Amino acid sequence: MATLISLFGYSVPLTVILVGIALVIGLALAVMFWITIGWSTYQSVKSDRRQAVSDELQGELLDRVFDPDVDWQSWIAGMSPTERTVLRSLLDEYLRELDGREADRLRELGVALDIPARSQKQLQRRGEYTHLNALTWLTLLERPDEYVDSAFEPRTPRERAATVRLLYESEALDDASEGLSLLLENSVSQFTVFGQDTLYRVASDDPQALLETAAANYQTWSQPLLIQVLTVFQYLGTSVSTENLSWLTATLEHESERVRATAARSLGSFGWRVDIREQAFLERLVNDPAPRVRQAVYEMLASWGDEQSLRTLIDALAAEDDARARLVGTTALAKRQERIDVDISTKLGQTWEWSREHAEYNTAARRRTDQVRG
Amino acid sequence: MAVSSQLFGELFAAFGLAVIGYYLVINAYYLWIHGLALLELRDDVRESNWTPPFRQFASPFYPGIGIIMPAYNESATIIESVQSMLSLNYPELEIIVVNDGSTDDTLQRLIDNFDLQTVDADIPIDVPTEEVRAVYRSTSYEELLIVDKENGGKSDALNAGIWLTDMPLFCAVDSDTIIDRDALLQLVRPFLEQPASAVASGGVIRVANECTIEKGVVKSVELPKTGLPGLQVMEYLRAFYSGRLGLNRINGLILISGAFGLFRTEVVREIGGYRHDTITEDFDIVVRLHRYLIDEKREYTVDFIPEPVAWTEVPATRRVLGRQRRRWYRGMVETVVTNRAMLFNRKYGRVGTVIFPFFVAAEMFGPLIEGLGYIILPLAWYFDILNVQFFLIFFFLTTGFGVFLSWFGIFSEVWSFNRYDSPWQILRLLWYGILENFGYRQWKTIVAWQGLIEYLKGVDTWGAMERSGFKTEDD
């Protein structure tokens, strides 16, 4: 053990070095032990305290929510910090579940708890999550003024989505274009699902506005963002009166299979448009080289559901040589089988039988579920 | 005798130096990974503390998920497992149970409990698995599909589900796994936020022994009272929680637990599904995904999400645990050998140059080197060339550092999504972190050597997992 190690010009016995390292590890272990136990105990005590008041507060809160003459101020006046924390947590939970008068009363409780003023202060602080939590509270309480009166400007995509959501839920948006421009202007990265859902809600009020925004900007968007916007169109209403769908049909020629497939699905909402039901256009779509895109086209045709589309679909499926694409097509077709008055079993063979039988099981199971629910 | 003793002494000294160097490098790597885990966890905790103000169930943007559950002789737990899947909160779900030629009454129990009827039509696509005997649909649950096929192993059963699902994503789960109700809403997050690049995401696996399960839902979380499952709780926290969080920070996750992982169906079909000739299919599939997507020059992410939790029953006896760990070891060697072209290959980026080599060094060679040490040390002592003082200091140093890493994993748990509420449970976990170094760790080195020998002999059996079934409130 007399081994000497040369260190910074000194000769140090190896044992000394090892003992030094052992001391460091020992210290690290002691710190880790006490931090872990300390934090666990703190959390446990906090949780127990909250649990102790939670049930009682929950009952009292529910009683008051249904009382039209509730006086929140006098109820919360004597509450401890723990009780207020639990109450805020219950408020957050119920505001997400309840609508109507009960929700309005809960919003008054939020004001009594001084949440809007606190949220406004949080908007002035730094940190994305601080801003997001503040905007979320203001959305739940439908208090856009605290945001409007503040100097806060959303910077990240999530902050922009949360801000638009606040304005949308509070009916404080001048029009859909305002929300869309806040969401999509200079936007390069994709949305979170919350952002995408917000885009969908805002655009639902005025699909035309999103169509125009997309027509003007789609070429500047990243591929994921373009896919997300196209997906939104898939779920929007069909009453869009714009003349110009050329940008949407142009995306059907995109180099990415995923973009083309999503574009085809989004066209499912526009089945009433004569220009996109032109036979030559459909022929081109059902002959896309990518099976994934053809699958989407089959779903689009089934979603249109008129006689001409279904005939085109059946002919395309009969000629389809990709087994999975054919299966996706027959599955979509089976949802429209009540509109088919010709025998297609011989044309589409076992794939059709498989899809038809599964559709029947789906209907039977749904009927059973409805019966159970009464 | 003197010459051989001198030669042994020199060899021993060289071995000792190599081992010291090895431990320094590996432990520095582990420290780095656990440090990254803390950063990742900080972000995850912040993220989880913010719930966006919208109703997830009313949103149409959640992609459909097919849950694929292979089942081989799982009669004891199959009904509760399926019920657990049926009660999951997710907008669009399909549950495919693949009965992989069970010899017990697994299929009959499914038929009796879920009103199953046979689908008469032939399957219209080629399913690259052992013969599918029948497909059943439930007349009570629209989302439930049962596939009955000849036995072909877990990979084969998973492939049957992957080829038969209509959903763009599939979640591979073990049939003895209970998933938290909102888990899929969390696990799907990478696919929503990176729709063009996310290909896989994995959640946390926790130990269900001693937890109370009611109607497929974990009602109360308890730490196992017996040593072996308790030690595994601590092991899972260190390796499957903290370790994977760190790797996720650098997009270097190369393993998603087979018990709970979400994948893009199309991409897994493109690589031919799970390989039939592997016994650790979960490791193999993720490594192959990395390899395939890098070869194809596609942008992709493989993510680890720390909050969604799946609960699984772990072996409670040394015999069954030994069998499981030998299989894990054999499968690991097999996957490493198969994908050896990735090792130190700059083409595979960080995964090829750092993550995979360190994984091999630590997980594959680590227990072997340690096991070798347990043989050489008594010999060195016999030949009087062992510096006992040095050995003891080194042993306690490495043990101390091992305990530190284990406690780091426990701290990560306490600091974030703590499921063990009582400080007494945490104290017991910390104790397990010390206890595992005296007996359990040494036993695992023997198991690793046995696994290596089995691999070299070409053993390819799966081995049965004996389950006692989940604990319910009536127990």
Side-chain angles (χ1 to χ4, degrees):
Chain A
M1 204 60 204
T3 313
L4 294 175
I5 302 285
S6 186
L7 205 66
F8 305 116
Y10 297 97
S11 291
V12 187
L14 183 59
T15 315
V16 173
I17 294 172
L18 291 176
V19 168
I21 296 172
L23 283 174
V24 171
I25 292 175
L27 191 66
L29 278 172
V31 169
M32 186 59 74
F33 178 86
W34 287 112
I35 286 180
T36 306
I37 283 295
W39 190 254
S40 169
T41 307
Y42 167 70
Q43 291 291 345
S44 175
V45 169
K46 202 165 78 173
S47 167
D48 287 349
R49 279 185 186 160
R50 287 182 181 176
Q51 196 57 47
V53 297
S54 181
D55 291 345
E56 195 181 336
L57 270 179
Q58 193 172 18
E60 289 180 19
L61 176 62
L62 285 174
D63 287 345
R64 284 171 171 78
V65 163
F66 297 101
D67 176 6
D69 303 317
V70 61
D71 178 5
W72 294 116
Q73 283 293 358
S74 59
W75 183 49
I76 63 170
M79 281 189 182
S80 67
T82 303
E83 285 172 321
R84 282 173 179 257
T85 304
V86 173
L87 195 53
R88 275 197 296 273
S89 160
L90 289 169
L91 182 63
D92 179 276
E93 185 186 334
Y94 292 151
L95 274 173
R96 291 169 192 271
E97 301 296 330
L98 296 175
D99 293 309
R101 277 187 221 152
E102 287 75 28
D104 288 340
R105 272 183 221 121
L106 285 174
R107 289 190 192 101
E108 289 165 15
L109 171 61
V111 175
L113 284 166
D114 208 22
I115 293 172
R118 280 169 49 152
S119 299
Q120 192 174 35
K121 278 182 199 158
Q122 282 182 319
L123 288 179
Q124 310 310 323
R125 288 198 213 130
R126 290 171 64 175
E128 187 186 19
Y129 286 101
T130 310
H131 298 155
L132 291 175
N133 282 318
L135 290 166
T136 299
W137 267 121
L138 294 176
T139 305
L140 295 174
L141 299 175
E142 296 186 0
R143 300 277 300 208
D145 291 347
E146 276 73 10
Y147 155 70
V148 174
D149 295 341
S150 76
F152 170 72
E153 276 187 29
R155 287 192 176 83
T156 67
R158 285 195 292 196
E159 286 179 354
R160 285 208 295 269
T163 305
V164 173
R165 196 70 178 211
L166 163 63
L167 298 174
Y168 170 76
E169 297 288 350
S170 319
E171 297 178 1
L173 278 174
D174 290 338
D175 53 33
S177 303
E178 186 195 352
L180 294 177
S181 103
L182 193 54
L183 276 169
L184 290 165
E185 209 166 78
N186 302 322
S187 189
V188 282
S189 58
Q190 63 246 44
F191 291 113
T192 61
V193 69
F194 169 62
Q196 192 179 18
D197 190 79
T198 302
L199 179 70
Y200 165 64
R201 303 289 160 194
V202 173
S204 298
D205 287 352
D206 183 4
Q208 181 102 14
L210 181 57
L211 269 171
E212 284 165 11
T213 307
N217 300 301
Y218 82 99
Q219 284 172 314
T220 64
W221 290 339
S222 66
Q223 202 184 103
L225 182 62
L226 177 59
I227 290 172
Q228 286 186 319
V229 176
L230 287 170
T231 308
V232 166
F233 278 113
Q234 205 179 319
Y235 299 101
L236 281 179
T238 57
S239 58
V240 185
S241 59
T242 184
E243 289 301 309
N244 184 12
L245 277 183
S246 58
W247 75 273
L248 192 48
T249 49
T251 55
L252 288 163
E253 310 290 336
H254 199 280
E255 59 179 6
S256 156
E257 285 179 24
R258 196 178 289 274
V259 172
R260 296 206 301 278
T262 316
R265 285 199 184 90
S266 70
L267 278 177
S269 304
F270 298 94
W272 57 275
R273 296 274 302 229
V274 179
D275 51 341
I276 60 166
R277 290 161 47 132
E278 198 251 316
Q279 194 59 34
F281 174 69
L282 294 183
E283 289 293 332
R284 211 167 66 238
L285 291 187
V286 295
N287 286 310
D288 191 287
R292 177 202 284 183
V293 181
R294 295 202 298 277
Q295 290 172 21
V297 172
Y298 298 154
E299 287 174 336
M300 174 194 82
L301 290 168
S303 126
W304 290 354
D306 62 286
E307 196 187 332
Q308 184 211 345
S309 310
L310 294 182
R311 205 171 43 242
T312 308
L313 174 56
I314 291 165
D315 290 343
L317 289 175
E320 178 60 72
D321 53 8
D322 182 273
R324 187 161 298 281
R326 192 164 60 241
L327 177 58
V328 170
T330 54
T331 303
L333 188 62
K335 291 175 188 157
R336 299 287 190 186
Q337 58 180 309
E338 78 285 351
R339 299 190 189 183
I340 304 167
D341 51 11
V342 292
D343 177 28
I344 54 173
S345 298
T346 42
K347 224 171 175 181
L348 302 181
Q350 60 174 357
T351 315
W352 170 248
E353 291 305 323
W354 171 270
S355 298
R356 193 187 50 75
E357 205 176 338
H358 279 277
E360 280 167 12
Y361 279 117
N362 290 344
T363 310
R366 248 174 263 155
R367 206 176 295 135
R368 181 90 168 258
T369 308
D370 290 344
Q371 279 171 359
V372 171
R373 285 178 184 159
Chain B
M1 180 70 184
V3 173
S4 65
S5 176
Q6 188 185 354
L7 181 66
F8 182 73
E10 283 170 6
L11 283 175
F12 177 73
F15 177 76
L17 278 174
V19 166
I20 290 171
Y22 168 83
Y23 270 101
L24 280 175
V25 173
I26 293 296
N27 284 329
Y29 168 73
Y30 274 138
L31 195 60
W32 175 58
I33 289 295
H34 280 71
L36 290 173
L38 271 192
L39 296 176
E40 184 72 2
L41 204 53
R42 182 198 59 187
D43 290 352
D44 284 323
V45 168
R46 281 180 185 164
E47 173 89 36
S48 73
N49 284 339
W50 175 57
T51 310
F54 80 122
R55 290 177 180 168
Q56 292 174 311
F57 258 74
S59 179
F61 300 107
Y62 284 82
I65 293 177
I67 292 188
I68 303 173
M69 189 195 293
Y72 177 73
N73 290 350
E74 302 282 358
S75 178
T77 55
I78 192 71
I79 301 304
E80 278 201 315
S81 296
V82 175
Q83 274 169 345
S84 164
M85 301 304 153
L86 288 168
S87 66
L88 289 177
N89 288 332
Y90 194 80
E92 198 183 355
L93 214 52
E94 180 184 36
I95 294 149
I96 303 181
V97 182
V98 185
N99 178 47
D100 191 34
S102 296
T103 53
D104 65 359
D105 63 344
T106 300
L107 180 63
Q108 196 53 49
R109 291 201 71 202
L110 287 166
I111 291 172
D112 294 344
N113 279 276
F114 298 107
D115 304 319
L116 300 185
Q117 289 189 9
T118 317
V119 175
D120 294 325
D122 293 335
I123 299 172
I125 49 171
D126 287 332
V127 181
T129 63
E130 293 294 323
E131 188 196 345
V132 174
R133 296 191 285 222
V135 173
Y136 296 86
R137 285 293 306 267
S138 166
T139 52
S140 307
Y141 301 95
E142 187 185 346
E143 61 271 49
L144 185 59
L145 179 91
I146 309 290
V147 181
D148 180 35
K149 61 180 277 294
E150 297 289 343
N151 181 263
K154 188 179 172 187
S155 299
D156 199 57
L158 283 167
N159 284 344
I162 292 166
W163 258 258
L164 285 172
T165 184
D166 294 331
M167 299 296 175
L169 306 179
F170 77 87
C171 180
V173 297
D174 286 349
S175 63
D176 60 319
T177 300
I178 301 286
I179 299 179
D180 276 355
R181 280 201 165 164
D182 289 332
L184 289 176
L185 289 168
Q186 301 294 327
L187 197 60
V188 78
R189 234 172 47 210
F191 294 89
L192 302 169
E193 294 176 3
Q194 301 149 92
S197 55
V199 295
S201 66
V204 178
I205 307 296
R206 288 177 188 267
V207 174
N209 305 44
E210 296 296 322
C211 294
T212 306
I213 317 276
E214 210 52 53
K215 290 184 178 162
V217 176
V218 176
K219 290 285 182 189
S220 76
V221 179
E222 295 294 335
L223 196 60
K225 292 185 182 71
T226 51
L228 213 47
L231 286 171
Q232 289 173 80
V233 173
M234 199 274 312
E235 249 188 322
Y236 276 43
L237 282 179
R238 183 184 56 217
F240 297 171
Y241 191 68
S242 197
R244 285 181 196 177
L245 274 168
L247 290 174
N248 192 46
R249 186 82 185 171
I250 47 174
N251 196 22
L253 197 65
I254 52 172
L255 208 166
I256 286 176
S257 291
F260 188 40
L262 190 61
F263 296 85
R264 196 173 288 285
T265 312
E266 206 171 51
V267 181
V268 174
R269 281 186 196 142
E270 280 173 35
I271 61 168
Y274 288 88
R275 264 180 48 212
H276 289 187
D277 53 350
T278 182
I279 43 172
T280 45
E281 75 300 324
D282 47 359
F283 180 33
D284 179 81
I285 194 93
V286 180
V287 172
R288 278 168 55 227
L289 277 174
H290 276 292
R291 198 171 172 183
Y292 171 74
L293 293 164
I294 292 172
D295 282 342
E296 291 280 305
K297 297 187 173 57
R298 275 157 67 171
E299 260 186 52
Y300 72 97
T301 60
V302 175
D303 293 276
F304 176 73
I305 312 286
E307 178 46 5
V309 168
W311 302 84
T312 190
E313 195 185 348
V314 297
T317 65
R318 206 157 48 104
R319 183 175 55 85
V320 182
L321 181 63
R323 199 157 57 202
Q324 181 200 51
R325 295 302 166 94
R326 285 200 302 277
R327 178 172 62 77
W328 284 8
Y329 193 87
R330 264 191 282 141
M332 177 175 62
V333 177
E334 188 183 271
T335 303
V336 167
V337 170
T338 307
N339 295 286
R340 61 189 178 280
M342 286 179 79
L343 281 169
F344 304 107
N345 190 335
R346 289 172 69 182
K347 179 177 144 190
Y348 295 104
R350 200 178 287 132
V351 172
T353 52
V354 181
I355 311 296
F356 202 37
F358 266 104
F359 178 86
V360 173
E363 303 297 328
M364 198 167 116
F365 288 113
L368 299 181
I369 292 170
E370 191 174 335
L372 210 57
Y374 295 135
I375 295 170
I376 290 175
L377 283 170
L379 286 175
W381 176 77
Y382 176 76
F383 285 112
D384 202 24
I385 50 174
L386 176 69
N387 185 326
V388 176
Q389 188 189 3
F390 178 82
F391 161 71
L392 286 176
I393 291 174
F394 183 70
F395 176 76
F396 282 111
L397 273 183
T398 52
T399 301
F401 195 77
V403 172
F404 177 75
L405 290 180
S406 298
W407 286 6
F408 208 101
I410 299 165
F411 170 71
S412 299
E413 159 76 2
V414 169
W415 182 51
S416 55
F417 306 102
N418 192 10
R419 298 292 181 118
Y420 300 103
D421 296 332
S422 160
W424 294 109
Q425 289 179 321
I426 297 301
L427 200 60
R428 214 156 79 218
L429 273 176
L430 292 170
W431 165 237
Y432 286 141
I434 299 171
L435 191 67
E436 70 161 343
N437 292 290
F438 304 98
Y440 183 63
R441 184 173 165 167
Q442 289 74 20
W443 172 76
K444 282 198 303 182
T445 65
I446 298 170
V447 171
W449 273 101
Q450 287 173 333
L452 181 68
I453 291 164
E454 284 182 0
Y455 168 78
L456 294 171
K457 281 178 165 176
V459 175
D460 60 357
T461 54
W462 183 273
M465 164 73 183
E466 290 159 28
R467 303 188 195 288
S468 54
F470 294 117
K471 184 182 166 189
T472 64
E473 281 176 347
D474 301 333
D475 293 340

